[in-house]
Amino acid sequence: MMMSVKPQSGGVVIEPCRGPGEPELAGSGLLLINPAEVRLADATVRKAGWQRHVFFPGTLYTAPAGPGWLAGPAVGAPVAVMALEKLVALGASTVITLGWCGALAPGVEVGDIVLPTTALSEEGTSAHYPLTGGPAAADDDLNRKLVGHLTEADFTVHAGPVWTTDAPYRETWGKVTDYRGRGILAVEMEFAALATVAAFRGVPLASVLLVSDLVREEQAWAPAFRHRDFRRQARRLLALLQDFITLT
């Protein structure tokens, strides 16, 4: 006999949870935004004995001994938030995300790192997670540790606000000029939503963004994500962050 459950007034329809047979996570981990980084990670962590799990929207890997995990890809705010919600439900206690961004600010160049602090949000997901006290921000302590770890490895690191958009094909030069004038460092698609949900769930989160292209009104759009030097930087950055999660 099938039982029905009466919906509770004001409650959510689906609560993220750990299901039967799903792994229990511990410690820090990496949520990889782009499929390219997931492919790179797969080649290294599986050789090191990490276990592979089915995971929406992609794959989840857990370290063979002790804490540590990797998951992805998760492109765009809605998908990234679904991934983050599940990771938190599985027990993730600290989350670092790795993605790409387009640089708006002068002095921020391809291959540099942007560590978002806050975001100007033009995405639609974070509005469903009401917070008090203003917009969400990256975890200060995590950002400080990341600055040290990355600068020691000779990456150029910039920390500051970013612009999060759901519509990369609707970025306009007017907005680029406006937001650059407000001190926005770069544009990307996930941070505002991820920071909001992390704050809502009480989980420390920081994002590491590798500059993949230049978005500046004084020059044509200049993508570099297919260049060999950029891919080399991406591989090196992924390896550094894999080391970082074992220390955090």
Side-chain angles (χ1 to χ4, degrees):
M1 180 172 159
M2 186 174 289
M3 295 181 64
S4 62
V5 179
K6 184 179 179 181
Q8 295 182 354
S9 176
V12 297
V13 176
I14 306 169
E15 190 68 47
C17 64
R18 178 171 171 258
E22 292 184 326
E24 186 170 356
L25 303 182
S28 301
L30 279 175
L31 176 57
L32 306 176
I33 301 301
N34 297 308
E37 270 69 22
V38 177
R39 289 191 294 269
L40 288 173
D42 183 83
T44 57
V45 299
R46 294 181 74 178
K47 286 182 182 178
W50 289 49
Q51 187 173 356
R52 191 174 189 266
H53 308 271
V54 175
F55 175 78
F56 180 84
T59 307
L60 171 65
Y61 305 87
T62 51
W69 52 267
L70 269 155
V75 178
V79 174
V81 161
M82 290 177 72
L84 178 60
E85 284 274 37
K86 187 64 175 184
L87 292 167
V88 173
L90 293 177
S93 59
T94 302
V95 179
I96 298 159
T97 73
L98 171 60
W100 301 348
C101 66
L104 275 62
V108 182
E109 304 297 339
V110 168
D112 289 358
I113 301 294
V114 171
L115 297 182
T117 52
T118 58
L120 186 157
S121 176
E122 288 188 351
E123 45 76 33
T125 306
S126 57
H128 298 279
Y129 293 82
L131 299 177
T132 58
D139 184 84
D140 285 339
D141 186 51
L142 266 181
N143 264 6
R144 279 194 296 270
K145 291 176 180 177
L146 283 164
V147 167
H149 193 70
L150 294 167
T151 54
E152 283 179 9
D154 294 325
F155 275 98
T156 301
V157 181
H158 312 266
V162 298
W163 164 25
T164 302
T165 178
D166 275 342
Y169 293 114
R170 297 303 300 161
E171 297 168 13
T172 66
W173 289 113
K175 285 184 177 181
V176 169
T177 301
D178 181 15
Y179 296 163
R180 177 178 173 175
R182 297 196 219 174
I184 301 294
L185 298 184
V187 58
E188 52 79 66
M189 295 177 63
E190 297 85 15
F191 176 72
L194 287 166
T196 299
V197 175
F200 188 84
R201 297 297 182 190
V203 174
L205 177 139
S207 290
V208 178
L209 302 174
L210 182 62
V211 177
S212 61
D213 51 292
L214 303 180
V215 187
R216 295 177 183 154
E217 63 268 36
E218 66 271 17
Q219 64 187 87
W221 179 56
F225 38 77
R226 292 188 180 91
H227 295 177
R228 183 177 299 173
D229 288 346
F230 176 82
R231 299 308 304 152
R232 188 181 298 116
Q233 283 283 75
R235 285 192 294 272
R236 193 164 72 91
L237 178 57
L238 176 59
L240 280 170
L241 293 179
Q242 286 179 237
D243 289 340
F244 183 83
I245 62 174
T246 66
L247 303 172
T248 305

